[in-house]
Amino acid sequence: RAGAASKTPSSTRRGGSSVVSTWARTRVAAVLCHDRRSGMRSTRSGRPSSCGAAGRARGVAKPAPALVYFHGGGYLAGSPETHRGLAARLAAETGCAVCLPDYRLAPEHPFPAAWDDADAAWDAVLASGMAPRDVVLAGESAGGGLALSLLARLCAKGTPPAAVVAFSPWTDMTGQSASLLANAKRDPLLPAEG
């Protein structure tokens, strides 16, 4: 794209944060963030929460189903903060505790940093008392691709999650697939150039 080469990771992150925050804004529940430095933490977004800091519904002995949502942003932008509103809405609509992993971004943290952080988030959710059969992986764009790559690793280990939901996942890191070009005009947010 014209002008893309002159953007810095910081300017890309600032621009992407305002777009995502606008379309994902809602104030309905609390969500969990997995911070790679300090573990799980609860963040509020409006009304009182149905989710506790360890991923359990308050007043319920058994853990509520959990959704681990990987934010998009091309592995360059996005964060749990930019997707908190979307996650809160997902928590309210599904009754799930939602975990937003804070995975490391490029170019400061090249591959496989995001993969390693996805694995750490999965391990943290299981350490909170969840069973794999009670956890759904999800994400959009780069986060959708990250969810699918984590799925492949978990299936290889024999510990698949309950399900995976991927919204426009970025799965072709080469940008060369026929479907990318054939569907270039169908992506409303990031159409490919042919």
Side-chain angles (χ1 to χ4, degrees), residues 111-179:
F111 177 84
W115 270 28
D116 294 343
D117 294 342
D119 286 338
W122 173 261
D123 292 344
V125 168
L126 296 186
S128 76
M130 303 299 297
R133 69 181 175 278
D134 295 324
V135 182
V136 174
L137 300 176
E140 96 278 352
S141 189
L146 195 55
L148 292 172
S149 67
L150 179 58
L151 171 67
R153 294 191 304 283
L154 295 174
C155 286
K157 292 179 185 177
T159 58
V164 175
V165 179
F167 303 101
S168 291
W170 184 13
T171 57
D172 176 14
M173 301 307 285
T174 68
Q176 302 297 313
S177 72
S179 69

Side-chain angles (χ1 to χ4, degrees), residues 39-93:
M40 292 290 209
R41 62 185 170 85
S42 180
T43 62
R44 295 214 178 272
S45 178
R47 294 194 296 241
S49 165
S50 62
C51 302
R56 298 180 187 272
R58 288 196 181 134
V60 178
K62 183 179 184 243
L67 180 99
V68 178
Y69 193 91
F70 296 97
H71 66 80
Y75 297 103
L76 292 170
S79 71
E81 292 304 313
T82 61
H83 284 64
R84 186 175 60 183
L86 173 62
R89 182 65 183 257
L90 289 170
E93 295 292 330

Side-chain angles (χ1 to χ4, degrees), residues 1 180 183-194:
R1 297 189 195 277
L180 181 68
N183 293 303
K185 297 194 184 319
R186 293 186 179 152
D187 190 321
L189 188 59
L190 299 170
E193 295 178 3

